[in-house]
Amino acid sequence: MEKLIVHGGAPLKGVVDISGSKNSSLPILAATLLTRDTCTIRRVPDLSDTNYMVRILGELGAEVERASGVVVVKAENVASVAPYDLVRKMRASICVLGPLTGRLRQCTVSLPGGCVIGDRPVDLHLKGLEALGAEIKVDGGDISVDATQNFRGGPMNLMGKSGSTVLGTGNVMMAATLAKGITSIEGAAAEPEVEDLANFLIKMGAKIEGAGTNTITIEGVDQLHGAEHTVIPDRIEAGTFLCAGAMMGEGITLRRVNAAHMQTVLDALRQCGFTLTLGRDTISIAPNPSAKGFDLTTLCYPGFPTDMQAQFCALACAIGDTSTITETIFPQRFMHIAEMKRMGAQVDLEGATAKIRGGHPIKGAPVMASDLRASAALVLAGLLSQGKTEVNRLYHIDRGYEHLDDKLASLGAKVERMRE
Ligand code: EPU
């Protein structure tokens, strides 16, 4: 296992390129299973999660080639079973369920386990597939789908008690592209990654309207064909670098970003007092030593993203004021707090609300990465701290941030990757 050593206090300056979105790439790669033809996906970030998805496609029988951000998939024949050994390492493997249902009408996909950010049920994915006429059994940890008899479009509402589901909407949308008739999804997730997936499916010949809103309508077609697509910029990676720039920056610029996908995060930073300058595909952030605290609540898009909550906890440590952040999507997603407290951060957790008194010096310490975004927050806290922070279990970061250490180093951060 590797760890990241962060020597705190180095100012950040310069330009950094943002990678393609992890959370777009994963379902888009899965969607290539919907056709026998060749699909070419560009700007796929080099991450262990995308490598894992490429491996799953290969194990399911697709021919896959990958070279510098371009993944070419030809799934002439596809296996109908994705066993536990294949899917267990990544929860997002569940997004092969929709394409396999659409293409084969019958499949078995093992249930992914929970993870540290919550128990992460898939009931809404199954509810949506049932509304398409599929019979579903969950037995021995496997989901078995049989849609051979009555596979057709229909109305459904996928709103859950914590809001809409991103991968659930994607799964049902992918299956519905090949179901006869009209599918109407109310309570659909409006995240840009769902819209990006829909745009790829449309290039493959699918008929989809409303993606990017809470109502998506799909008119089923007989078959889909190959297509080329470039995934959108990673808005969460971009938000993480903006936090780094706000905390330690002497002026940093993000290139190859889409500010339209980041309005709530940009507004939150502006309200703290940071100056943002937007170009055609760039965002620059300037520091502000008298920035104000924030009071944020995570919500579905276009609300403040849960995937930025941990990084804003780190940002709050740098602001000489009190900030609060309430988590409504994954109320247990606060593993970073205990680790940040070990660095001397003044944080109280009351239920699903973190209250952070910032502006006090924090000190480097060995800390344990627990999940992707929590780990990113610990790296940010390390940049701010006095002394040396060791972020252990770096593999969490490599799941979702492309070459984070190299990108931070190019901005002037003192970071080194070492074996644990
Ligand atoms: N939920 C249900 N039932 C379901 C599905 C979800 O109750 O069948 C609940 C969840 O427990 C949660 C809420 O609905 O409370 C939202 O979960 P969602 O299904 O939207 O999460 P996801 O699709 O599994 C994606 C991202 C996550 C991100 C969430 C929320 C990918 C690969 N993952 O997960 O990203 O946090 O949406 O925006 O797209 C990350 O990148 O670090 C990450 C965890």
Side-chain angles (χ1 to χ4, degrees):
M1 270 197 274
E2 290 183 319
K3 61 185 175 182
L4 192 71
I5 310 288
V6 184
H7 300 276
L12 305 184
K13 199 178 170 118
V15 180
V16 65
D17 280 327
I18 297 304
S19 301
S21 161
K22 165 181 84 82
N23 289 347
S24 267
S25 298
L26 295 174
I28 286 175
L29 287 171
T32 61
L33 295 174
L34 283 161
T35 176
R36 307 169 76 90
D37 295 349
T38 302
C39 294
T40 303
I41 316 299
R42 299 183 195 283
R43 212 178 167 190
V44 176
D46 179 18
L47 304 169
S48 55
D49 270 11
T50 54
N51 287 328
Y52 196 64
M53 183 55 85
V54 162
R55 202 185 119 199
I56 290 175
L57 299 180
E59 300 265 340
L60 288 172
E63 286 168 34
V64 195
E65 280 171 33
R66 175 170 200 164
S68 58
V70 183
V71 180
V72 180
V73 186
K74 184 164 171 52
E76 196 141 16
N77 297 300
V78 183
S80 63
V81 180
Y84 185 58
D85 256 3
L86 188 57
V87 306
R88 70 188 160 86
K89 281 202 186 140
M90 183 175 71
R91 218 203 86 87
S93 321
I94 191 69
C95 56
V96 300
L97 185 65
L100 292 182
T101 303
R103 168 113 177 234
L104 306 172
R105 309 280 153 98
Q106 211 168 16
C107 63
T108 302
V109 175
S110 196
L111 268 171
C115 73
V116 292
I117 71 175
D119 67 351
R120 313 199 65 182
V122 293
D123 55 310
L124 297 168
H125 301 231
L126 306 189
K127 178 183 170 187
L129 295 180
E130 277 172 344
L132 297 178
E135 272 183 34
I136 295 180
K137 285 197 195 107
V138 179
D139 191 23
D142 292 331
I143 306 166
S144 298
V145 180
D146 184 349
T148 45
Q149 297 304 316
N150 189 24
F151 191 48
R152 36 109 194 98
M156 65 184 80
N157 191 322
L158 293 187
M159 184 58 70
K161 58 182 187 316
S162 311
S164 50
T165 165
V166 175
L167 291 181
T169 302
N171 254 334
V172 176
M173 187 166 73
M174 288 190 273
T177 56
L178 294 175
K180 231 180 181 40
I182 308 278
T183 297
S184 149
I185 310 176
E186 297 291 338
E191 268 69 1
E193 294 77 15
V194 176
E195 192 177 357
D196 200 27
L197 170 63
N199 287 337
F200 174 55
L201 293 168
I202 291 167
K203 289 178 188 167
M204 295 174 82
K207 295 188 175 165
I208 303 175
E209 282 178 10
T213 74
N214 297 119
T215 304
I216 301 180
T217 308
I218 304 128
E219 186 184 339
V221 295
D222 289 339
Q223 59 179 20
L224 297 178
H225 50 74
E228 290 197 22
H229 188 72
T230 302
V231 299
I232 56 172
D234 195 309
R235 64 191 169 105
I236 305 301
E237 185 200 18
T240 305
F241 274 100
L242 287 178
C243 285
M247 292 166 75
M248 300 304 296
E250 287 183 343
I252 72 164
T253 297
L254 278 46
R255 233 174 8 202
R256 305 188 76 194
V257 279
N258 187 342
H261 294 161
M262 302 179 61
Q263 286 310 333
T264 323
V265 169
L266 301 184
D267 286 348
L269 289 166
R270 283 193 194 99
Q271 275 166 22
C272 292
F274 298 105
T275 303
L276 300 170
T277 312
L278 307 191
R280 192 180 54 80
D281 68 348
T282 62
I283 306 177
S284 303
I285 184 158
N288 178 358
S290 48
K292 297 192 299 287
F294 54 80
D295 183 9
L296 291 168
T297 298
T298 64
L299 289 169
C300 297
Y301 192 83
F304 186 84
T306 171
D307 289 344
M308 284 303 302
Q309 178 259 111
Q311 301 89 316
F312 265 66
C313 286
L315 170 62
C317 294
I319 297 176
D321 198 357
T322 298
S323 298
T324 61
I325 188 156
T326 300
E327 176 60 66
T328 71
I329 309 291
F330 297 113
Q332 301 159 41
R333 195 179 197 177
F334 281 112
M335 299 292 281
H336 43 288
I337 297 293
E339 299 300 304
M340 283 165 59
K341 277 181 157 176
R342 296 185 56 251
M343 299 174 74
Q346 299 196 7
V347 191
D348 292 319
L349 197 53
E350 288 164 19
T353 300
K355 184 172 175 190
I356 304 125
R357 285 172 302 282
H360 306 282
I362 60 170
K363 282 214 170 124
V367 288
M368 198 63 84
S370 56
D371 72 85
L372 174 58
R373 309 304 171 187
S375 313
L378 295 176
V379 173
L380 293 177
L383 295 174
L384 178 71
S385 69
Q386 298 168 347
K388 182 173 102 172
T389 297
E390 274 183 38
V391 183
N392 290 291
R393 300 192 184 168
L394 195 52
Y395 63 88
H396 284 293
I397 290 190
D398 293 334
R399 282 192 41 219
Y401 286 93
E402 191 176 46
H403 312 146
L404 182 69
D405 43 342
D406 294 341
K407 289 188 182 185
L408 284 172
S410 76
L411 293 172
K414 302 275 175 280
V415 289
E416 17 171 4
R417 184 183 280 263
M418 294 177 77
R419 293 207 70 78
E420 265 180 36

